[in-house]
Amino acid sequence: MDIFFWPVTELLVWGFLSRYLESSGLGGVNVVTILLGALIFWDLLSQSQRAVSVVFLEEVWERNLLNIFVTPLKISEFLVSTVLIGLVRIVLVGITIAILAFVLYKFNIFIFGFSLIPFVLSLLLFGWAIGLFATGIILRFGSSAQVLAFGLTFLLQPFSAVFYPVSALPEWARYIAYFIPSTYVFEGMRGIINTGVFSWQSLGLAVVTNAAFIALVLWFFYKMFANVKEQGRLMKLD
């Protein structure tokens, strides 16, 4: 369901909408490219976030955390393993929706060229950081906070300028948007579609905000994990 059903359903809905806008003259000539491109990259971000937080949450549901951490396994190794598992999921999702987008709507994701690589990597890093943040909150409050493992990215979506430019946001929302790495990725992608020019500024800002975000999230996660161990709550996250 997570890997195929929801991404494919979203692709169909947004693909049909973009086709309608294009045929009715309500959208610009690049409406299919803009909407479907944004959707595909947003799905990759969502998958990378859930890959970290949901994998951890599954261990909580199975009460398996104690079994894992009485072994010599380091927390860093556990996190790397969740990232690798998530990478497999992301590849499966990416291949599936890219093929369907090309077959159904003649949308070729590779129109972005080599610029696809750094922007996608930035999105994946941000998604993993969000997932780690959600995991830290679950450690602090238990599985009662598990809804964040599935919906935290959607709280950021309105400010990430996924389907529209930052200029479309009210002024107060723009200040929030400029602190979110994904904003610069989607702005950079739109710039490539509209002008054909790769924006080094957007990529640089995405890297800088990502680095700051990841540093803060790692500090938060390790602090929450240390507190749980000290209080003996590793088996009581319910």
Side-chain angles (χ1 to χ4, degrees), residues 13-65:
V13 171
W14 284 95
F16 294 146
L17 173 63
S18 60
R19 274 291 178 85
Y20 165 70
L21 293 175
E22 189 176 51
S23 63
S24 63
L26 297 176
V29 292
N30 290 325
V31 66
V32 173
T33 301
I34 292 174
L35 289 181
L36 290 188
L39 173 68
I40 291 174
F41 292 123
W42 180 257
D43 271 335
L44 295 180
L45 170 63
S46 299
Q47 287 291 333
S48 63
Q49 180 259 311
R50 290 196 296 269
V52 174
S53 51
V54 174
V55 166
F56 180 84
L57 196 55
E58 287 173 347
E59 302 298 342
V60 173
W61 291 335
E62 299 294 334
R63 298 183 179 275
N64 197 40
L65 287 178

Side-chain angles (χ1 to χ4, degrees), residues 87-113:
L87 193 59
V88 175
R89 293 162 57 97
I90 291 165
V91 169
L92 290 173
V93 171
I95 291 174
T96 301
I97 58 181
I99 291 174
L100 283 177
F102 182 76
V103 171
L104 296 175
Y105 311 111
K106 306 301 180 186
F107 170 73
N108 183 5
I109 194 173
F110 296 105
I111 60 172
F112 296 102

Side-chain angles (χ1 to χ4, degrees), residues 202-222:
S202 294
L203 179 61
L205 290 170
V207 171
V208 170
T209 51
N210 246 335
F213 196 88
I214 290 171
L216 287 172
V217 166
L218 282 174
W219 171 82
F220 173 74
F221 175 81
Y222 274 95

